[in-house]
Amino acid sequence: MSRRRPLVIGHRGAPGYRPEHSLASYELALDLGVDAVEPDVVFSQDGVAVIRHENEIGSTTDVADRPEFASRRVTKEVDGASHTGWFVEDFTWDELATLRCRERLPLLRARSAAFDGRHPIMRLRELLDLVAAAGEREGRALGVVLEVKHATYFGSLGYDVAGLLAAELQEAAWNSGARQLVIESFEQRILQRMRDRGIRARYIYLLEAEGRAADLVAAQCPDAPTYADQLTAGGLDRLAHEVDGISLDKRVILEDPGVVADAHRRGLDVYTWTCRPENAFLAREFQRGTDAASFGDWEGEWRRIADAGVDGVFVDHPDLGVAFFGRSDTDR
């Protein structure tokens, strides 16, 4: 029996071809036919929702080459780990808007790095407007899968993360229920706070293959459950009452495809991240040759993920993702 194909989500746009989270990356992902795009959101000093993978921006912008910002290089502890660099919360939005995007993995993705310096970083409102306009132009439902990053950390600095995002979504008309909005985080508490704010969305809880959620560690350490604990039968039972779905590191599914059916039996959607074709990102059995940047047997790995019955996949190369996951079961 044929299954419904999974949602194909442009992970940070189309970072296999353009620097992640840049306008060019998102425009290309939409042009290549994704169902939705995924921005990661952090916050500027003046409370603007900024699209960056992390709050440290030294490797994804030209900030290190800007002498006027040299003194802002600092070391901070974020979610229990020490990081040295430049952090969005130390800049106003007007300052951040002067920076330009860079490829995070230039040795691996030279094609994308060729576009370094062409585009400023984006704020969330720009992307919301871009996706809405693209959907109206193309006459199809296009979604945003909004990932809230470091919510506990930003809360400790005094940011009202849920309030800031609720206001932004309301102002951009993305809280009406008419838009395809998914909100996800590695921290459950921010999902609940956003639901309490009346934000109309599907709520997806992200789980790593190992470790613990930062919000649970802050509240319960050393008794915080691990992500693995949350994927046991009892853990999934609890999650089914708290969120609409889960999003798993693909390693979890490759090692135990049955976890997808276990979650489905409890009414949970299951997404997975991230489907990438390069050897550097493939499970060992699907790697081919020794060049990390070369494509391995990505179709073999993706077939195993598709056969598990996932509801959504994050892809870095949207053309490959749309073509592969849009096929029928028999074609695969």
Side-chain angles (χ1 to χ4, degrees):
M1 183 173 65
S2 179
R3 293 188 298 267
R4 178 173 59 86
R5 72 168 183 83
L7 193 73
V8 178
I9 304 157
H11 179 241
R12 311 176 203 167
Y17 303 118
R18 302 290 187 274
E20 65 186 33
H21 291 315
S22 66
L23 176 63
S25 185
Y26 286 116
E27 287 180 333
L28 181 58
L30 294 168
D31 288 345
L32 291 175
V34 297
D35 301 302
V37 291
E38 182 244 16
D40 299 307
V41 176
V42 290
F43 296 92
S44 69
Q45 189 177 77
D46 47 347
V48 173
V50 179
I51 300 177
R52 289 284 91 191
H53 177 53
E54 303 289 349
N55 59 327
E56 199 288 304
I57 55 175
S59 64
T60 60
T61 73
D62 62 352
V63 67
D65 296 335
R66 301 287 295 274
E68 67 270 34
F69 298 136
S71 64
R72 300 195 203 180
R73 186 173 188 268
V74 295
T75 297
K76 297 187 179 188
E77 184 171 303
V78 182
D79 295 346
S82 178
H83 301 274
T84 298
W86 291 262
F87 297 81
V88 291
E89 64 268 21
D90 296 331
F91 295 79
T92 66
W93 168 247
D94 286 345
E95 291 173 325
L96 290 169
T98 69
L99 302 178
R100 294 296 179 266
C101 297
R102 284 187 173 174
E103 169 55 45
R104 184 170 53 90
L105 304 169
L107 297 180
L108 194 67
R109 290 178 168 172
R111 179 177 179 181
S112 175
F115 292 85
D116 283 359
R118 299 192 188 187
H119 293 276
I121 67 176
M122 298 178 70
R123 59 185 295 174
L124 177 60
R125 179 58 187 271
E126 294 173 79
L127 181 64
L128 295 174
D129 291 346
L130 176 72
V131 176
E136 291 171 6
R137 183 173 62 250
E138 298 179 20
R140 64 188 182 104
L142 291 172
V144 168
V145 181
L146 191 165
E147 181 177 346
V148 186
K149 301 300 288 278
H150 310 307
T152 297
Y153 170 79
F154 278 104
S156 73
L157 300 179
Y159 289 81
D160 177 6
V161 173
L164 289 168
L165 289 174
E168 185 96 332
L169 291 165
Q170 185 68 38
E171 185 178 333
W174 273 81
N175 194 29
S176 64
R179 304 288 188 192
Q180 303 295 315
L181 178 63
V182 174
I183 297 174
E184 62 177 9
S185 179
F186 285 101
E187 303 176 41
Q188 251 186 283
R189 294 186 176 202
I190 186 60
L191 298 180
Q192 185 58 56
R193 287 197 293 271
M194 295 184 73
R195 195 191 292 271
D196 291 344
R197 289 272 183 168
I199 299 174
R200 301 176 67 180
R202 298 284 291 173
Y203 287 89
I204 304 293
Y205 180 44
L206 290 152
L207 294 100
E208 299 265 18
E210 54 194 35
R212 293 174 166 86
D215 58 336
L216 297 181
V217 170
Q220 303 176 34
C221 191
D223 299 321
T226 65
Y227 287 121
D229 292 334
Q230 294 183 290
L231 288 175
T232 62
L236 288 172
D237 287 342
R238 287 187 290 274
L239 288 175
H241 294 289
E242 297 166 350
V243 293
D244 299 306
I246 57 177
S247 186
L248 304 176
D249 183 329
K250 68 176 183 178
R251 289 184 293 164
V252 175
I253 294 173
L254 291 171
E255 292 171 7
D256 179 17
V259 70
V260 179
D262 290 343
H264 282 165
R265 281 194 290 272
R266 293 163 171 84
L268 291 164
D269 290 340
V270 182
Y271 295 1
T272 192
W273 45 275
T274 302
C275 289
R276 296 163 164 145
E278 296 103 334
N279 279 320
F281 303 114
L282 294 172
R284 184 175 297 276
E285 66 183 288
F286 298 107
Q287 295 171 13
R288 299 293 180 267
T290 58
D291 180 12
S294 294
F295 288 9
D297 180 19
W298 57 271
E299 289 187 291
E301 184 182 271
W302 295 11
R303 187 177 300 112
R304 187 172 298 177
I305 290 169
D307 288 347
V310 296
D311 304 289
V313 292
F314 292 85
V315 299
D316 279 8
H317 297 71
D319 54 338
L320 301 183
V322 169
F324 182 87
F325 290 105
R327 301 178 196 174
S328 69
D329 292 347
T330 54
D331 288 338
R332 281 198 296 269

